[in-house]
Amino acid sequence: MVMTAFREPLELQTFPIPELSDGEVLVRLAASGVCGSDLHIWQGHDPRIALPMIPGHEALGYVADFAGARSYFAGSPIAEGDLIVWDRGVTCGECYYCVQKKCPSLCPNRKVYGITRPCTEPPYLLGGYAEYMVLDPKTKLLKLPPDADPAVLVPATCSGATAAHAIATSGIVEGDTVVQIGVGSLGLFATGLAGGRRPASLIAFDVKPHCLEVARKFGATHTVNVLETTPEERRRMVLDLTDGRGADVVIDASGRPENILEGIALLGRCGTYSLPGIAVPAGEIPVRFYEDINLKNVRIQGVWVSDHVHLQTAIDLVLSGKYPFEELISHRVRLEEANEALEALARGEVLKAVIVPDGD
Amino acid sequence: MVMTAFREPLELQTFPIPELSDGEVLVRLAASGVCGSDLHIWQGHDPRIALPMIPGHEALGYVADFAGARSYFAGSPIAEGDLIVWDRGVTCGECYYCVQKKCPSLCPNRKVYGITRPCTEPPYLLGGYAEYMVLDPKTKLLKLPPDADPAVLVPATCSGATAAHAIATSGIVEGDTVVQIGVGSLGLFATGLAGGRRPASLIAFDVKPHCLEVARKFGATHTVNVLETTPEERRRMVLDLTDGRGADVVIDASGRPENILEGIALLGRCGTYSLPGIAVPAGEIPVRFYEDINLKNVRIQGVWVSDHVHLQTAIDLVLSGKYPFEELISHRVRLEEANEALEALARGEVLKAVIVPDGD
Amino acid sequence: MVMTAFREPLELQTFPIPELSDGEVLVRLAASGVCGSDLHIWQGHDPRIALPMIPGHEALGYVADFAGARSYFAGSPIAEGDLIVWDRGVTCGECYYCVQKKCPSLCPNRKVYGITRPCTEPPYLLGGYAEYMVLDPKTKLLKLPPDADPAVLVPATCSGATAAHAIATSGIVEGDTVVQIGVGSLGLFATGLAGGRRPASLIAFDVKPHCLEVARKFGATHTVNVLETTPEERRRMVLDLTDGRGADVVIDASGRPENILEGIALLGRCGTYSLPGIAVPAGEIPVRFYEDINLKNVRIQGVWVSDHVHLQTAIDLVLSGKYPFEELISHRVRLEEANEALEALARGEVLKAVIVPDGD
Amino acid sequence: MVMTAFREPLELQTFPIPELSDGEVLVRLAASGVCGSDLHIWQGHDPRIALPMIPGHEALGYVADFAGARSYFAGSPIAEGDLIVWDRGVTCGECYYCVQKKCPSLCPNRKVYGITRPCTEPPYLLGGYAEYMVLDPKTKLLKLPPDADPAVLVPATCSGATAAHAIATSGIVEGDTVVQIGVGSLGLFATGLAGGRRPASLIAFDVKPHCLEVARKFGATHTVNVLETTPEERRRMVLDLTDGRGADVVIDASGRPENILEGIALLGRCGTYSLPGIAVPAGEIPVRFYEDINLKNVRIQGVWVSDHVHLQTAIDLVLSGKYPFEELISHRVRLEEANEALEALARGEVLKAVIVPDGD
């Protein structure tokens, strides 16, 4: 399904399966997510896009073919028929961020399947809204159990990995009080991961009662409906749970700029505000540096995308079987229904839609 | 010298030397700093102040007497005549920040000599604008070499310790590019400490040519006069020194809210902006969270005061003899001249004035 | 129950309840553990002991009285009738390890209830084999829910806290393979805490089938009976689970010197061997530094006792209700039965005996 | 100069300059170190060696030619004539250690120029005892100032980088007491780097008076001749400098197994013993785990080779110009004199010999 123009329906096109170069892997797709960012892309809001291109950066599939020798990072060679997932970002391994800072997610040469890769040249098939994809030699591969449900694993490839990145840099330790703002897909992964670190309290904020219910199953010890409470009531609740101190860590996965100041203000001294949830420009937010950051010795931590380590963490969380990740997948559609899925997403009707070969 | 009313001259008063309780130490003062915050206090801007009180939170002196047994943290007992310095903040050792977070500087029960301690009850002598001070049993003591110049060590007790706190939480590693905004006392300590971590470049910004000259002696590899350059020129300089990436760490010790956004914008991906320099409310600063924090995976780190570890680091830096700290002390005055020193500070005429028993 | 001579029965003696000094707390004991170290003490193997003394360093109880104002670290004041626990180690708050290194568990002035405190002077009641104890003003207090079962919390005060210390310094991250050698009380706490960090595999070794069964309930993904396998089989198993790499972290809580070399050899490159389990001299162990440490870039981490943060973590783990800690308590005895409990422990007949006011 | 048999003179052979594949770089060598490990290799002690091969893993040179586009990690493209250095270890970028642990120096697929690479196939020229070398596409390149003295930079490529690795994992903080055992090349780099972190004391041990003198210039605050003191005198000295506590960090770069136990025993509580200096099997060392590791909460840290980050740190230290690194180079020889240099090294007559195009 090719995006040829912004805000126009994707077109079903046919490409030849390209001859593979050394190290390339041909994947028969098993599941591909329809992400909120795909909507931004389709609306023309993402400056990284060159048309025509095949969207879809959240994908899993089966090894259909490969050229040369390729291995999983565990060292075993890949084999035809393996169910695999991969880091959607392909990084250079040579730049300052890859080599010196060891933060490949910040590589300026990072290329993302389904986002920065047009379909105008071989190997064409570089997005997940398709039957097949071709993976670069530098793509990092992870083998999955053959009986895993590919659709349920889809959110781990993008929001789950980003959540793992946020938790890894959040510094949560045992006994902390954690506020999780927003418990959509990203926020639920963060909740599950944060809970393992044994916080004293893990408080979920959201506007949807259903999401808050699910958050309980992911380990939230308290839930708060933001539509039914005032900011002052929420602040009071956090203070009451912390003997008046405030939260140790706030993870804001709401993606709503209007929540930023409330999130920062919920912190106690020495607290950390982690912001993985902003994926588009949010305008200017007036921050009181003295009262909210300096005087409280607070840390604000921006979190941008993820690397292979975070992908692995998110996949492992789903595979652990401890959380009902299947509840996150509300729609399974066929490839030809991608336009309908995007439209339903735009109307706010879907929690998460996944393209699977045989649809629902 | 007692402050009995805001914006009125301090009054020379006489107190009896109180009988010491178990663990208290009587100190004959050897040097006491006239800090910029003393001016804020005198102007009535610091909400922590109850009058009457003796100002002076930066002080050193000789042990004149003590009750019971007291030891330095190295374990050796204190003795009459020792030249000592102490952590100006006395913390409770029992609260969440002292015990659980091991960040005593954030102790909500922290009491500060010369700031939060009125002189209305025994032991009265709790500020440095005096001949003698009485130190609580919980005050942390540090022994100094008998031949050290007390006046030169004064800045280490406040701005130096805060600089050490900033550097300790800045995450500077070898090869980083560091921008030091503001090279007054705090910024020069930060420059000296940052330089030890072997940054590739250490760039000092200030408005005073003299401070920039001194910064060179403290290890700055580049200096920039902010009055003679545009923000764009400064940004370009940092980009040129980093192959277009931006700074890894910015330490903003300027105390000027108008510098905050420039400082954050100088960062490259994965950078850290450390803010030790804001000691009074700074209003609201409009931050672009998406572009400047999220997308660059940036960390903003507030830094509030310091604890004994940081004091020790700052004192050691001065005692190392590698930097011309004596150049920071522009005026040595007698106790009776404290009002004149405050007035001169208010007029911007002094770099640093220190009260010493025999004046200049 | 007073130890007046080594290897002689403890004697029931009566002491007056002392008048409390400022900050002291009188506790009516609710539960007190009979620890393996009590046996070493009774046998005269612990050089820290001066007789006569009241043993018992693992204890909880109700506030019966107190002098002056005392607060929990959360800031709320203590009250008569509160169920509390405390850090068994009272540290000075002034030494290099308390102040500079912020590792109070290494304080050379650390005094331990029931170990380093004879009963020859007021307040006499400084061990847990008693009806009442008197706590120093510097003792760190933690409030418990009134309906918690004190006996079940006993192991958290010593082995649980030490396990928390081991995990805090082990550096386990998501996806690691962890081997837990020994799953008695210390090892089960470590297993529960390690599991929260989402290791890929968490492999328990022990000689007792029952302990291995319990370890499953605490999160072990694999269990190995050391009596039924050879070292080579165990090594092979770890290699098979890690694609030939070896373990990332080994926590050795077996307390058996003969396991040390096997534990170290199970590590892969960059691995960490954590040793919380050795409480008495273990002789000399021949280490191959080149092959086992240098060439593999391995870290060996000694772990000595614990501080208040670790106690809090262990208590929280029990209170979380997620693990069957009640299964660790095999015997509940009355104070008068302390000798019988020690003898049964010496004969290896008890998993864990706890002294409670009304016995079983 | 080709090693065709162990313990036989190297032979001068001529190879064609191979046609470069995409990404390969041809380097005209400017300096190449004769390392102690070359002697081990020549003696047949290194199991990684397959003959015939060209020794020389410490090398720098000028870009003579390259195929395709290659960039420095700073992003700028390489150019003919650039003076460059490179990470001697070429790692896969795909394995568990490269990707998950971000420790490429532990990559099991690591190939090392001049060590693991025979000269039986194109591109043949994979060692530094030559006029030219060919660098793989995955080799990490670092640009040097054109006027740098290549010979003086040689030690940074191997022992300097390993020293940087040791310091990076040593955890030295301001105020620590550091003992540096062995101040040959590795130890002097470690001394220079440790000094930047502002230890309270930095004590160098060695058997050679000359090395101890040089150590002073690299920042050692105290020096001890091991031949002129007893272990007890050295222990006493460290205790005296630390109020009886012992060292916070010991870096053992002596390469002598017989020093290991002394080094560990010099530590105080919470100390770290870092072992970068053992490059060949050292037999079994009997360690008292209870007294020396457990009870003191000590960390033992093995350090194996280095990665590109450490190379960069070491090169920067030399380029800083603050230390007399030129004093480390005792002999400059021509390529044809490699056998003589190895023999002189075997007789202990050289501090460091470097092969340069025009010899001395």
Side-chain angles (χ1 to χ4, degrees), chain C residues 47 96-97 100-101 103 105-109 165 169 171 173-177 245-246 248 260-261 264 268-270 273 275-291 293-305, chain D residues 47 96-97 100-101 103 105-109 165 169 171 173-177 245-246 248 260-261 264 268-270 273 275-291 293-305:
Chain C
Y96 187 76
Y97 296 102
Q100 181 83 356
K101 290 295 180 185
C103 291
S105 55
L106 300 175
C107 170
N109 308 313
H165 187 186
T169 54
V173 296
E174 286 91 351
D176 276 357
T177 291
R245 292 189 313 267
D248 296 291
I260 291 178
L261 291 182
I264 294 173
R269 296 169 187 217
C270 215
Y273 173 78
L275 185 61
I278 299 284
V280 287
E284 295 182 339
I285 312 283
V287 176
R288 300 185 313 161
F289 275 83
Y290 175 71
E291 294 84 353
I293 295 184
N294 213 241
L295 192 56
K296 296 203 291 190
N297 215 95
V298 146
R299 174 163 71 103
I300 307 288
Q301 179 66 59
V303 176
W304 184 245
V305 302
Chain D
Y96 186 77
Y97 297 102
Q100 181 83 356
K101 291 293 179 187
C103 292
S105 55
L106 300 175
C107 170
N109 308 312
H165 187 186
T169 54
V173 296
E174 287 90 352
D176 276 356
T177 292
R245 290 189 313 266
D248 296 292
I260 292 179
L261 290 182
I264 295 174
R269 298 172 185 213
C270 215
Y273 174 79
L275 185 61
I278 298 283
V280 288
E284 296 181 339
I285 311 283
V287 176
R288 299 185 312 160
F289 275 81
Y290 175 71
E291 294 82 355
I293 295 185
N294 211 243
L295 191 57
K296 297 204 290 190
N297 214 96
V298 145
R299 174 161 72 103
I300 307 289
Q301 179 67 59
V303 176
W304 184 244
V305 302

Side-chain angles (χ1 to χ4, degrees), chain B residues 28-162:
Chain B
R28 180 168 52 84
L29 290 167
S32 185
V34 179
C35 181
S37 340
D38 293 344
L39 203 59
H40 294 136
I41 289 169
W42 180 77
Q43 290 164 337
H45 293 163
D46 190 322
R48 297 173 292 176
I49 302 299
L51 296 182
M53 55 85 74
I54 305 173
H57 53 278
E58 305 177 342
L60 303 90
Y62 298 95
V63 174
D65 195 7
F66 58 100
R70 288 297 307 276
S71 297
Y72 301 110
F73 77 67
S76 52
I78 70 171
E80 241 185 271
D82 285 356
L83 178 60
I84 64 171
V85 64
W86 51 90
D87 187 354
R88 67 196 184 284
V90 180
T91 52
C92 74
E94 296 184 355
C95 71
Y96 187 77
Y97 296 101
C98 285
V99 173
Q100 181 82 356
K101 290 295 179 187
K102 295 178 179 170
C103 292
S105 55
L106 300 174
C107 170
N109 307 312
R110 186 172 180 263
K111 294 183 291 184
V112 189
Y113 292 110
I115 297 185
T116 65
R117 314 198 61 167
C119 62
T120 44
E121 286 180 24
Y124 309 113
L125 302 169
L126 298 169
Y129 286 24
E131 280 181 279
Y132 286 94
M133 271 179 77
V134 175
L135 305 180
D136 279 1
K138 283 190 169 177
T139 307
K140 296 195 173 68
L141 310 175
L142 181 60
K143 189 178 181 176
L144 298 170
D147 58 348
D149 180 343
V152 171
L153 284 163
V154 157
T157 65
C158 177
S159 56
T162 303

Side-chain angles (χ1 to χ4, degrees), chain B residues 138-329:
Chain B
K138 283 190 169 177
T139 307
K140 296 195 173 68
L141 310 175
L142 181 60
K143 189 178 181 176
L144 298 170
D147 58 348
D149 180 343
V152 171
L153 284 163
V154 157
T157 65
C158 177
S159 56
T162 303
H165 187 186
I167 296 300
T169 54
S170 68
I172 298 172
V173 296
E174 286 91 351
D176 276 357
T177 292
V178 177
V179 176
Q180 176 59 51
I181 303 184
V183 281
S185 177
L186 204 165
L188 287 171
F189 272 95
T191 301
L193 289 167
R197 301 192 174 207
R198 310 214 174 278
S201 306
L202 177 46
I203 310 160
F205 286 13
D206 208 304
V207 295
K208 299 186 189 159
H210 173 66
C211 288
L212 292 169
E213 261 173 62
V214 178
R216 289 267 177 190
K217 301 183 192 170
F218 277 75
T221 59
H222 301 74
T223 53
V224 180
N225 190 320
V226 173
L227 297 181
E228 298 171 2
T229 51
T230 66
E232 180 52 26
E233 284 169 347
R234 296 190 288 273
R235 199 178 80 87
R236 178 53 44 204
M237 179 199 191
V238 172
L239 291 176
D240 286 350
L241 282 168
T242 55
D243 298 289
R245 290 189 314 267
D248 296 293
V249 177
V250 172
I251 313 274
D252 187 343
S254 69
R256 298 179 152 299
E258 60 269 33
N259 291 340
I260 291 178
L261 291 182
E262 177 178 347
I264 295 174
L266 289 172
L267 291 172
R269 297 170 186 216
C270 216
T272 293
Y273 173 78
S274 169
L275 184 61
I278 297 283
V280 288
E284 296 182 340
I285 312 284
V287 176
R288 298 185 313 159
F289 275 82
Y290 175 71
E291 294 83 354
D292 284 342
I293 295 185
N294 212 241
L295 192 57
K296 296 204 290 190
N297 215 95
V298 146
R299 175 162 71 101
I300 308 289
Q301 180 67 58
V303 177
W304 183 245
V305 302
S306 61
D307 71 23
H308 189 76
V309 174
H310 311 124
L311 170 65
Q312 171 96 28
T313 299
I315 291 284
D316 285 350
L317 192 74
V318 178
L319 293 178
S320 77
K322 296 198 178 150
Y323 304 99
F325 278 102
E326 62 283 0
E327 296 190 16
L328 302 192
I329 310 302

Side-chain angles (χ1 to χ4, degrees), chain D residues 61-81:
Chain D
Y62 298 95
V63 174
D65 196 6
F66 57 100
R70 287 298 307 276
S71 297
Y72 301 109
F73 77 65
S76 52
I78 72 172
E80 244 184 87

